[in-house]
């Protein structure tokens, strides 16, 4: 079957055994690939109650059928595992070139199981696969480790996905970084890799991903490229300013969380906006594999080049921490990339710690003389470093805001859902987005159903952000479609320009199917439900479909959205009904049978 | 009446970031766009005091108008 390579690489790190298994094509189609297929294997092979940092958990690098293909932005891969941060299913997406390289080497998935005794890495050169000693790069930061491993591979075209010191030290907010700057950032996937003593995966692939119907593929791609070019977001907005263009939009609508969500507007946003970033620090824009959009930002500060910061990072380190000094934010972002820390969770955890200081929970003598109050530029840099190094109180913060705040008896000050830190929008002023955050299977996350698009950006059409009318259907549709995009191996940003019909067309052309759009969307529904089933079995009950106490109980105090409050309680029941779940939020046997999950 | 106009992203080119403008009470937002030489088809988000608005919105004294081209991110 085209699109898929047809081979799964299974690597047992306890025994060093490496096996190549055939991918069952029926199974591949049922779960599409990437996030869906990875979740299937985790659900099948990992006890949902297993300790996520034990050898019983598995770590999957999953490509989709369009990864490495001619599809625009077809370079994405997913890291799927049980999250040590949230205890939920985790799937963390990344771009760059690593995913495409893995696919071109001939693998749909790598499944890592067990635990290596000593630091090791996996080296892949097409069909030559071996585990190697990683002692020379263990302890090294991301860029140095990447350089060492590329050199050791003897091929400058090798692509490297690596953990930094944070992942090695089992920080629960550790990321996996590929090509130095691209992150599978969320849910602590880097800690799972660290727990397995697996420093990196180095891959070089010289094959190609064929289409079932080359002519049809050409026509469909032409259409998609034209739509990307016509669409102002993908043709101008993202390439000119990157994701950071959102800083001013979200702030002007009064849903820009400030000082750990205590406020939702700041008069200083423009100092740390995408416009200012482009004006002062942008060196060039960058693009992932086969991406015509190029939203990546290469920025320079004090002679050091790095990539980013993205919108979410800018927010987490600026408004959320009350810091409006762009150079410091860029430095903190670079540190996260070097230590391998999720920038959203890291910035949001510092913001939470700042509120803990403000409210008197953290005493001065715990701080080793490092400031930790809102507004301190020194704090965001130095505490990021301490988290990365696992130094002093930084080691405790590196476990994420929930555990950190809980250790002071103030878990409610962690602005997280299912222990995953919320991103850069105040759910009180955007009801559909709030519902998505409360119900997302990996916790507080925006990219599983980006309702900000219709509710704030008026894309593909504007809907009233304060109304709950029809919102649960919107949320379900966005969540299901995102599940498919994440499983195909394309970038979510293409969805500003194209819709479910185009994803169906490109899937059909490359894989050689004749699916309807409904069938594709049903696959998204299936993926959502298998994730939900895993979470329920892991003990993540539906009562976790909620938002932080502050968001549920207090209205936005000031700014353009003053007085707006969460209406989650009024729509959650409708959402469960729209999903075909019981009133208690459990998928019904009929629903599971309909999705062939029973 | 006195208004505050805020422009963002590409709309700032050859215009301004923020400006106070004196206009007759009840001035139409659509006419303000014309005055600024911004074509409605390039506008993604129109906010008056943080609320989504359109070209038919009539402005009142003290309004803060924010105008964005079509943008996205996430
Ligand atoms: S839009 Fe941005 S994140 Fe997506 S593939 Fe292109 S460069 Fe990468």
């Amino acid at each position: 079957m085209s699109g898929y390579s047809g081979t799964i690489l299974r690597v047992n790190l306890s025994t060093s055994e490496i096996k190549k298994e055939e991918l069952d094509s029926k199974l591949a189609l049922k779960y599409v690939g990437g996030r869906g297929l990875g979740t299937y294997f985790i659900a099948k092979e990992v006890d949902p109650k297993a300790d996520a940092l034990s050898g019983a958990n598995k770590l999957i690098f999953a490509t989709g059928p369009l990864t490495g293909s001619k599809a625009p932005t077809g370079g994405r891969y997913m890291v799927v595992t049980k999250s040590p941060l949230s205890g939920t299913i985790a799937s963390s997406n990344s771009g760059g070139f690593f995913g495409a390289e893995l696919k071109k080497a001939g693998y749909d998935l790598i499944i890592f199981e067990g635990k290596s005794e000593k630091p090791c890495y996996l080296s892949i050169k097409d069909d030559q696969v071996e585990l190697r000693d990683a002692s020379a790069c263990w302890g090294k930061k991301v860029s140095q480790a990447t350089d060492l491993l590329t050199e050791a591979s003897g091929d400058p075209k090798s692509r490297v996905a690596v953990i930094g010191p944070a992942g090695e030290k089992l920080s629960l907010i550790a990321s996996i970084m590929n090509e130095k700057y691209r992150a599978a950032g969320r849910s602590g996937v880097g800690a799972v890799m660290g727990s397995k003593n697996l420093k990196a995966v180095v891959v070089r692939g010289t094959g190609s991903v064929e289409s079932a119907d080359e002519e049809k593929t050409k026509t469909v791609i032409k259409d998609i490229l034209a739509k990307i070019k016509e669409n102002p977001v993908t043709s101008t907005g993202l390439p000119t300013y990157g994701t950071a263009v959102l800083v001013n939009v979200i702030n002007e609508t009064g849903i820009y969380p400030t000082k750990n969500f205590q406020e939702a507007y700041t008069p200083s946003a423009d100092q740390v906006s995408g416009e200012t970033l482009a004006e002062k620090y942008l060196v060039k824009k960058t693009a992932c594999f086969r991406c015509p959009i190029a939203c990546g930002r290469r920025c320079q500060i004090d002679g050091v080049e790095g990539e980013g910061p993205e919108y979410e990072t800018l927010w987490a380190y600026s408004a959320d921490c009350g810091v409006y000094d762009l150079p410091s934010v860029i430095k903190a972002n670079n540190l996260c990339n070097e230590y391998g820390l999720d920038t959203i969770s890291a910035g949001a955890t510092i913001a939470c710690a700042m509120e803990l200081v403000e409210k008197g929970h953290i005493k001065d003598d715990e701080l080793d003389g490092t400031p930790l109050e809102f507004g301190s530029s020194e704090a965001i840099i130095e505490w990021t470093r301490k988290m990365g190094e696992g130094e002093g109180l930084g080691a405790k913060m590196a476990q994420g805001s929930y555990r950190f705040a809980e250790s002071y008896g103030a878990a409610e000050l962690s602005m997280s859902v299912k222990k995953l830190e919320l991103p850069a929008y105040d759910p009180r002023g955007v009801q559909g987005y709030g519902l998505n955050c409360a119900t997302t299977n990996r916790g507080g996350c925006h990219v599983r159903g980006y309702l900000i698009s219709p509710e704030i950006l008026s894309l593909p059409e504007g809907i009233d952000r304060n109304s709950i009318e029809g919102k649960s259907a919107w949320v379900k549709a966005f969540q299901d479609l995102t599940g498919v995009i994440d499983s195909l191996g394309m970038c979510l940003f293409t969805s500003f320009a194209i819709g479910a019909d185009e994803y169906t067309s490109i899937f059909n052309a490359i894989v050689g199917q004749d699916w309807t759009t409904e069938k594709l969307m049903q696959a998204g529904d299936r993926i959502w439900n298998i994730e939900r089933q895993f979470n329920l079995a892991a003990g993540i009950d539906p009562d976790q479909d909620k938002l932080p106490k502050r968001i549920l109980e207090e209205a936005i105090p000031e700014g353009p959205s003053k007085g707006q409050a969460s209406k989650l309680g009024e729509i959650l029941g409708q959402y469960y009904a729209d999903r075909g779940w019981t009133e208690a939020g459990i998928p019904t046997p009929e629903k599971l049978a309909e999705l062939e999950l029973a | 009446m006195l208004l505050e106009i805020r422009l963002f992203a590409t709309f700032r080119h050859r215009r301004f970031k923020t400006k106070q403008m004196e206009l007759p009470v009840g001035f139409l937002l659509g006419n303000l766009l014309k005055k600024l030489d911004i074509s409605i088809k390039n506008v993604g988000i129109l906010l008056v005091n943080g609320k989504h608005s359109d070209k038919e919105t009539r402005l009142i004294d003290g309004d803060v108008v924010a105008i964005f081209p079509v943008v996205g991110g996430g």
Side-chain angles (χ1 to χ4, degrees):
Chain A
M1 196 167 46
S2 301
Y4 303 92
S5 68
T7 306
I8 297 170
L9 203 53
R10 192 179 283 277
V11 181
N12 187 317
L13 294 164
S14 303
T15 62
S16 299
E17 190 190 2
I18 298 173
K19 278 196 296 195
K20 288 174 191 163
E21 295 173 3
E22 197 181 324
L23 172 67
D24 176 344
S25 52
K26 267 203 201 126
L27 201 64
L29 289 175
K30 185 171 174 184
Y31 294 99
V32 185
R35 178 175 145 199
L37 199 54
T39 302
Y40 164 80
F41 280 104
I42 291 293
K44 181 169 171 251
E45 300 182 5
V46 174
D47 174 2
K49 292 238 160 50
D51 173 355
L53 296 181
S54 73
N57 194 9
K58 299 192 184 187
L59 180 76
I60 300 182
F61 286 71
T63 66
L66 305 189
T67 309
S69 76
K70 294 198 181 80
T73 76
R76 316 289 305 188
Y77 73 100
M78 273 281 177
V79 179
V80 189
T81 188
K82 175 178 171 171
S83 165
L85 181 71
S86 58
T88 64
I89 188 79
S91 45
S92 207
N93 190 280
S94 183
F97 295 82
F98 176 86
E101 199 73 22
L102 177 61
K103 187 71 168 296
K104 289 195 275 179
Y107 308 100
D108 294 305
L109 267 69
I110 313 175
I111 303 178
F112 288 103
E113 40 194 41
K115 212 174 211 185
S116 169
E117 240 169 63
K118 290 195 189 109
C120 67
Y121 70 96
L122 187 73
S123 158
I124 303 173
K125 276 185 193 169
D126 294 321
D127 53 1
Q128 282 170 274
V129 184
E130 57 184 40
L131 280 167
R132 292 187 179 166
D133 175 25
S135 47
C137 60
W138 195 257
K140 299 279 189 288
K141 294 194 187 112
V142 165
S143 57
Q144 200 189 352
T146 303
D147 289 341
L148 284 170
L149 290 163
T150 309
E151 205 186 311
S153 80
D155 187 340
K157 288 186 176 148
S158 295
R159 301 292 181 179
V160 180
V162 68
I163 54 167
E168 294 175 11
K169 292 180 170 44
L170 309 185
S171 157
L172 300 186
I173 55 172
S175 59
I176 298 172
M177 305 295 299
N178 57 283
E179 288 98 62
K180 297 182 184 174
Y181 308 123
R182 287 278 152 188
R186 308 228 66 196
S187 306
V189 292
V192 177
M193 193 152 156
S195 75
K196 298 195 174 309
N197 267 319
L198 178 66
K199 176 73 177 175
V201 178
V202 182
V203 60
R204 174 77 179 111
T206 59
S208 58
V209 180
E210 305 302 333
S211 290
D213 185 336
E214 289 293 346
E215 274 313 301
K216 204 164 137 197
T217 303
K218 247 193 223 158
T219 316
V220 175
I221 288 178
K222 210 173 145 202
D223 172 57
I224 291 178
L225 287 175
K227 286 184 170 133
I228 287 176
K229 213 171 153 191
E230 267 161 34
N231 182 283
V233 176
T234 45
S235 68
T236 313
L238 281 170
T240 313
Y241 299 107
T243 56
V245 73
L246 288 186
V247 170
N248 281 319
V249 181
I250 303 305
N251 187 52
E252 290 295 320
T253 39
I255 56 162
Y256 196 51
T258 302
K259 294 189 180 169
N260 201 35
F261 288 72
Q262 294 186 80
E263 295 157 27
Y265 176 81
T266 166
S268 311
D270 206 28
Q271 293 169 32
V272 283
S273 66
E275 287 90 332
T276 306
L277 187 72
E279 197 181 305
K280 294 196 173 151
Y281 301 99
L282 184 68
V283 179
K284 63 172 183 185
K285 54 183 188 175
T286 61
C288 304
F289 179 79
R290 279 199 210 284
C291 177
I293 304 170
C295 77
R297 312 284 88 187
R298 183 67 56 89
C299 288
Q300 197 179 40
I301 185 106
D302 298 345
V304 180
E305 266 199 24
E307 237 172 67
E310 300 288 337
Y311 166 64
E312 306 292 338
T313 312
L314 268 177
W315 158 78
Y317 275 104
S318 65
D320 206 28
C321 292
V323 173
Y324 298 100
D325 174 37
L326 192 47
S328 303
V329 175
I330 297 174
K331 284 180 196 161
N333 174 61
N334 289 346
L335 280 176
C336 282
N337 288 347
E338 280 295 358
Y339 282 106
L341 283 166
D342 171 21
T343 57
I344 299 178
S345 287
T349 299
I350 294 174
C352 170
M354 286 172 163
E355 191 173 352
L356 287 164
V357 167
E358 189 182 75
K359 300 268 185 319
H361 293 284
I362 299 178
K363 301 285 170 281
D364 268 1
D365 58 3
E366 293 180 79
L367 301 176
D368 304 327
T370 309
L372 186 54
E373 63 269 352
F374 284 116
S376 166
S377 308
E378 187 187 339
I380 61 170
I381 294 175
E382 194 47 21
W383 287 105
T384 301
R385 191 192 64 75
K386 283 173 184 273
M387 280 195 282
E389 295 284 354
E391 193 181 297
L393 200 61
K396 227 165 123 185
M397 286 163 71
Q399 302 309 302
S401 65
Y402 186 89
R403 287 169 177 82
F404 187 66
E406 192 185 34
S407 74
Y408 292 96
E412 72 282 1
L413 296 186
S414 162
M415 294 298 122
S416 58
V417 175
K418 303 181 180 93
K419 304 193 178 92
L420 180 68
E421 286 73 16
L422 279 170
Y425 318 84
D426 193 317
R428 290 173 285 193
V430 237
Q431 301 303 330
Y433 167 78
L435 175 62
N436 174 63
C437 287
T439 55
T440 296
N441 291 318
R442 71 173 182 176
C445 152
H446 60 303
V447 285
R448 289 293 191 265
Y450 192 60
L451 265 287
I452 295 300
S453 197
E455 291 186 299
I456 299 292
L457 309 174
S458 304
L459 299 168
E461 60 182 280
I463 54 175
D464 181 356
R465 63 190 172 104
N466 293 313
S467 161
I468 53 171
E469 194 65 41
K471 286 290 168 69
S472 70
W474 272 91
V475 169
K476 178 183 182 297
F478 267 54
Q479 290 177 338
D480 291 351
L481 179 61
T482 305
V484 171
I485 302 170
D486 283 347
S487 301
L488 288 173
M490 282 175 76
C491 177
L492 196 53
F493 289 161
T494 51
S495 65
F496 284 116
I498 61 172
D501 290 340
E502 286 84 2
Y503 293 111
T504 309
S505 303
I506 188 133
F507 170 80
N508 282 339
I510 290 179
V511 182
Q513 302 294 312
D514 55 359
W515 283 22
T516 59
T517 301
E518 290 69 45
K519 188 166 174 177
L520 190 84
M521 291 300 284
Q522 194 190 39
D525 199 1
R526 180 179 300 121
I527 292 162
W528 195 266
N529 277 275
I530 191 178
E531 291 177 340
R532 178 78 172 184
Q533 290 291 83
F534 181 88
N535 283 355
L536 291 170
I540 312 290
D541 293 331
D543 64 1
Q544 295 302 307
D545 296 337
K546 60 178 186 180
L547 294 165
K549 193 165 180 267
R550 169 174 295 155
I551 305 295
L552 288 177
E553 294 180 3
E554 296 166 27
I556 291 179
E558 284 301 332
S561 290
K562 182 175 175 179
Q564 287 179 22
S566 170
K567 299 174 188 163
L568 178 66
E570 295 166 53
I571 35 174
L572 191 59
Q574 183 60 47
Y575 172 82
Y576 289 164
D578 285 349
R579 281 238 163 258
W581 296 350
T582 67
E583 271 174 33
I586 313 283
T588 59
E590 297 78 40
K591 182 73 198 177
L592 295 176
E594 175 198 318
L595 297 172
E596 297 164 61
L597 290 174
Chain B
M1 62 171 181
L2 192 64
L3 302 176
E4 182 171 320
I5 318 297
R6 300 177 183 167
L7 301 183
F8 298 96
T10 44
F11 287 161
R12 285 180 175 177
H13 296 164
R14 279 180 254 113
R15 290 195 191 87
F16 54 85
K17 281 188 190 175
T18 304
K19 198 173 177 173
Q20 311 286 324
M21 277 175 102
E22 196 53 65
L23 288 168
V25 176
F27 202 75
L28 271 182
L29 190 44
N31 289 338
L32 174 65
L33 291 178
K34 280 190 199 138
K35 216 177 160 60
L36 295 168
D37 195 22
I38 292 174
S39 158
I40 186 77
K41 74 173 193 337
N42 294 329
V43 174
I45 309 160
L46 273 177
L47 301 175
V48 177
N49 307 320
K51 309 274 174 295
H52 285 75
S53 307
D54 56 35
K55 59 185 188 353
E56 306 305 330
T57 305
R58 292 199 177 272
L59 300 166
I60 59 167
D61 190 42
D63 275 349
V64 176
V65 181
I67 311 172
F68 297 86
V70 186
V71 291

